Amino acid sequence: MPDIPKAPTVQCHNDLGSGISAAYQLSTSKGLIIPGFADRKLIDQAYRCLYGSNLPFGISWIIGIQTLFSAALLFLFLLGIRNRFKLK
């Protein structure tokens, strides 16, 4: 009988809080595009919570791609608002 894989944990490394809330916080801060809107201390805490002391190389690529994708979606959203109200 094969082993049943365990469900992913929701606890942070070093018991820094909830992993799910840290993931939402990190995703929201990266989606804001402008770094001034997100508190750097909270972002660092979310990274430590999710990944411990070392950030995997693949995760840094995913974060960069998410930031570019968020910027493109925000641009398209604002362009849609401009076209909807015919702002010039």
Side-chain angles (χ1 to χ4, degrees):
M1 181 171 227
D3 291 334
I4 299 173
K6 294 181 180 179
T9 182
V10 294
Q11 282 300 108
C12 289
H13 293 276
N14 303 325
D15 294 326
L16 291 174
S18 171
I20 293 174
S21 66
Y24 281 131
Q25 179 183 16
L26 188 59
S27 179
T28 304
S29 67
K30 290 299 175 182
L32 290 176
I33 303 300
I34 301 171
F37 289 141
D39 185 17
R40 187 68 191 159
K41 185 176 179 181
L42 293 176
I43 293 173
D44 289 339
Q45 182 182 3
Y47 278 130
R48 282 193 314 272
C49 172
L50 294 172
Y51 305 111
S53 60
N54 295 328
L55 183 66
F57 181 72
I59 297 298
S60 62
W61 273 97
I62 291 172
I63 290 170
I65 290 170
Q66 179 191 3
T67 303
L68 291 174
F69 189 66
S70 296
L73 288 178
L74 283 174
F75 172 76
L76 291 174
F77 176 73
L78 294 173
L79 188 64
I81 289 174
R82 178 183 169 260
N83 287 337
R84 171 72 174 113
F85 295 111
K86 304 286 185 203
L87 298 175
K88 293 183 181 186

